Amino acid sequence: MSENIAFSLREASRVLLVSMRNLKFHVSRSGSYEFEDIICNCDTVDLVTPHFNPTLFKVTNTLANSAAKLFKNGKLVHSLVNYKFQVEKEYDLFFIFCQSIQDILILNSIQGWREKCRYAVCWLDELWAKDVDNWLVQLQLLKDFDYIFMNFSSSLNQVADIIQRPCYSIPYGVDAIKFCAYPENLYRCIDVLNIGRRSKVTHDALQELVEREKLFYIYDTIKDLYMLNFRYHRNLYTNFVKRSRYMIVNKAKFDLTGKNNPQEEVGPRFFEGAAGGTIMLGVPPKCEDFTKNFDWSDAVIEIPFDCSNIANIIADLNTEPERQERIRRNNTVNSLLKHDWVYRWEAILTTIGLDSTPQMRQRKANLKNLAEIVSTSAISYPDPPLYRLLVNGGN
């Protein structure tokens, strides 16, 4: 085993999982690594985590993928490591979550993964239909898989036509237990949370509210966000969400859609905000996946993308405590019963014909019990001075 490959071995593991967690550190990947952790906790898994090759630290993933296109053969190019890891035991399932199709080149560092694994599954995340033709070389590597799962369903048919393998739509997920603010009924000390891409108009209006009413508003202040430790980051973000009264959410890459990219997709923020019991404000995508996965009243309160009157919208909502309670309860309960990562793993196993595990059944029971607690608990939040001001129009 190479010093560049970390390998966690369990006796009689049935799943071989390759993770990018020691190669890719952008904050957007923390959710997929959270999913991998839940798989490891709910199944018997051997986890392979390739590391950077210190002798080739200047060879980036982008260069590797460019070389793959040049050679027109993705199997000739290694991504960020040059040592080989040999799979020696047999598994029922090989699994990899590729946030980017560029991640797929890591397979060239894992020898024997296809021969030793009965089934091979790839979750292909965030592949826009307009970009599919740019990744034809990398997509050819997916022909070695038995099943492909994609959460951007509008791109699914294109990929299926290219690789001639079964492709299935699957929604994003979340650790609904960690994101749940109950049974503690946590105090929501953050007034508004606005993470990631944002409207300058809405952001400036919230900044004015900060100055005028001392709003506690949390938002990104730096570019190119990278994690020192993905679990630390995920824990911090989770605590932000479940302690926030309101959260700004918008369709995936909302600032890039339009005539050149009409595709609308459901980003992970919707699943995270709902699981945290926040009141989500924003622009939901107009697509079947959103309608199907967020099929309850007020899952998202739609506001304009550029919302200069956000203060008035919040003030009006603060006059409806019963509606707020219903929104928080519905968001939380539906997330616990529909959107935990364990349901996604179960769907994958069911598709390929593998049984669920006792750990999965126990987690589902825990989710159901927690949903019952939330359904029958009183949800109350002490109103800080800010909210009395906003309800009274600032007087």
Side-chain angles (χ1 to χ4, degrees), residues 274-292:
T278 64
I279 295 175
M280 294 189 285
L281 310 174
V283 181
K286 292 178 173 58
C287 62
E288 182 181 353
D289 282 351
F290 179 81
T291 303
K292 179 172 60 176

Side-chain angles (χ1 to χ4, degrees), residues 182 274 277-279 296-299 301 317 320-334 374-375 377 379-381:
Y182 314 96
T278 64
I279 295 175
W296 58 93
S297 175
D298 285 339
I301 296 176
L317 285 167
E320 301 181 275
E322 292 183 357
R323 182 187 181 191
Q324 288 195 32
E325 178 177 343
R326 183 179 67 253
I327 292 172
R328 298 190 193 283
R329 193 189 307 276
N330 286 342
N331 281 353
T332 303
V333 170
N334 279 286
V374 177
S375 296
S377 297
I379 301 177
S380 61
Y381 306 100

